[in-house]
Amino acid sequence: AWWLPFIGPVLVLGAWGVGRFFIFGSLVGPAPTVVENPAVAAGLLGRLLAAANVFGLGARLLLLPTTLSSDYGLDHFPPLAPNAWALLGSAAAAAVALLAWRRRRSPAGLLWLGLLAGPALLHSHLLVALPTAFAERLWLVPTAALCAALASSLPNAATRHGGQAGAKRLLFVALVVACTAGAWRVGGRLPDWRDNEAVYMAMVRDAPRSYRGLVNSAAILVERGKADGARSNLRAATTIYPGSPMAWLSLARVEIAAGQKDAAQAALER
């Protein structure tokens, strides 16, 4: 029957959805806000554009992760702005659809494509707008699926094009290249994840329009005794996202510590 090859991918994605529901309480997660993700208030065309942008940036991260970010603010990744990511994302979606059609009789191929495309589709805001416009952590499953698909296809491809000896050489070269590239990228990211201070400062550096980075980094600045810098970050955070209770509460605490009771009261009343 034509539907048999689809059983594996459907079961895997179903298990993923059930696990997410029991862990987070829903498939969607926290209620999104327009500031965090403008696609929430967008119509169909806006959702399609956001999906194309997400697919494009996700494809770039999967294939060429030269530049990574601890967080993605609106100036780092505006989901509703027509740009090169949308073109790349449209091409990537078309390529996956073409591969799925060509592999429609291969359960293993459809399984890997399902694990690659399924989570990517859920994170694209096309079906449901997520609280975060884009995050690298949302691409962990597609990354694993891509690696597994490449690992399973390399031996057959090498044997067809170079025989047994050629297969071994190709696999060895691919392994060396992948391990070298991965080690280089991991080594470059380690300093940003050394501790909370490094993470929060990296968020401010990588995504200046991320109110979360500004709020979190303000706590670090307070610990350092740099109240003015903390106040500046928190005021910027309230400008970016006026609906953040944590930003206003943190600002009030900074003002109280500085003896500015009127400013603290004004922040609390917001």
Side-chain angles (χ1 to χ4, degrees):
W2 63 268
W3 48 268
L4 286 177
F6 295 91
I7 292 179
V10 169
L11 289 177
V12 171
L13 292 175
W16 178 86
V18 171
R20 181 179 177 85
F21 179 82
F22 279 102
I23 292 173
F24 295 105
S26 72
L27 292 176
V28 180
T33 65
V34 176
V35 173
E36 290 181 271
N37 184 11
V40 173
L44 177 59
L45 292 179
R47 290 287 187 92
L48 288 172
L49 179 58
N53 278 323
V54 169
F55 289 152
L57 184 52
R60 201 274 293 169
L61 289 175
L62 287 176
L63 301 176
L64 193 65
T66 54
T67 303
L68 302 176
S69 175
S70 303
D71 197 20
Y72 288 81
L74 297 183
D75 62 341
H76 193 125
F77 178 71
L80 300 184
N83 51 46
W85 297 130
L87 296 176
L88 178 59
S90 300
V96 170
L98 178 60
L99 281 174
W101 174 255
R102 295 187 62 179
R103 296 285 182 176
R104 64 188 184 278
R105 303 185 189 280
S106 170
L110 287 175
L111 171 63
W112 301 130
L113 285 172
L115 290 175
L116 173 65
L121 180 62
L122 291 176
H123 300 153
S124 69
H125 314 302
L126 189 59
L127 303 178
V128 177
L130 300 182
T132 303
F134 189 90
E136 293 169 5
R137 64 184 180 275
L138 301 180
W139 288 81
L140 293 178
V141 174
T143 300
L146 179 63
C147 293
L150 291 175
S152 64
S153 62
L154 271 177
N156 292 334
T159 301
R160 285 197 305 268
H161 295 288
Q164 194 66 29
K168 292 182 179 180
R169 286 194 296 270
L170 180 58
L171 288 176
F172 177 76
V173 171
L175 179 62
V176 170
V177 171
C179 290
T180 301
W184 169 72
R185 209 64 200 94
V186 170
R189 291 293 284 165
L190 285 178
D192 289 344
W193 297 93
R194 182 177 61 251
D195 49 35
N196 285 343
E197 179 177 350
V199 172
Y200 299 150
M201 294 306 175
M203 290 172 68
V204 174
R205 180 197 68 218
D206 296 339
R209 288 282 294 172
S210 168
Y211 80 90
R212 290 182 295 268
L214 292 168
V215 172
N216 291 331
S217 64
I220 301 297
L221 292 174
V222 168
E223 292 179 0
R224 292 180 178 178
K226 299 180 178 180
D228 290 340
R231 183 184 294 107
S232 176
N233 279 11
L234 290 169
R235 285 178 176 171
T238 58
T239 300
I240 295 170
Y241 184 16
S244 171
M246 183 56 66
W248 288 111
L249 180 59
S250 299
L251 179 59
R253 288 173 175 170
V254 170
E255 298 294 9
I256 290 174
Q260 302 294 327
K261 296 182 179 180
D262 291 340
Q265 182 67 29
L268 290 173
E269 290 176 353
R270 295 298 298 266

